[in-house]
Amino acid sequence: GCLPLKIRRPKDYVAPSDGKLRQYHVSGIVSTQVEDGPNKIFIGNLPPALTEMEIKEFLSAYGELKAFHLVKDIGTGMPKGYGDASVCIKY
């Protein structure tokens, strides 16, 4: 059956020890390198039918998408069903 979509902070998340937030983002550009930080989230149990663009559109509903990385199988290039993103959450 279908598993529920998981969105959470990565298990290894550690807030910057110096208390400074790093902002290296140009509005409108989505990086493929997701840096550690307070806006980094893990996305899991992604249905294989979803395209990378559909996942980005979904995440953009929560705020501006700064970075996104969909993990893919090296041999086949097919998505493994999880990834990381950095989203500036709108409240």
Side-chain angles (χ1 to χ4, degrees):
C2 255
L3 295 173
L5 182 65
K6 290 182 183 179
I7 300 178
R8 61 169 169 76
R9 287 203 190 272
K11 291 180 181 177
D12 61 349
Y13 173 74
V14 177
S17 60
D18 60 8
K20 295 180 184 175
L21 296 178
R22 286 141 182 92
Q23 299 292 331
Y24 305 109
H25 174 65
V26 177
S27 185
I29 296 177
V30 179
S31 174
T32 57
Q33 303 239 342
V34 182
E35 294 185 17
D36 286 335
N39 296 324
K40 182 177 181 179
I41 55 173
F42 167 85
I43 306 106
N45 293 338
L46 292 167
L50 284 180
T51 66
E52 194 165 331
M53 185 57 78
E54 289 171 329
I55 298 166
K56 287 180 180 180
E57 286 178 25
F58 170 76
L59 293 171
S60 294
Y62 294 94
E64 185 176 4
L65 189 59
K66 294 171 43 175
F68 176 72
H69 175 72
L70 181 61
V71 178
K72 297 181 180 178
D73 183 272
I74 294 172
T76 66
M78 298 298 294
K80 289 188 170 187
Y82 62 94
D84 294 302
S86 181
V87 181
C88 291
I89 305 294
K90 25 181 184 184
Y91 294 97

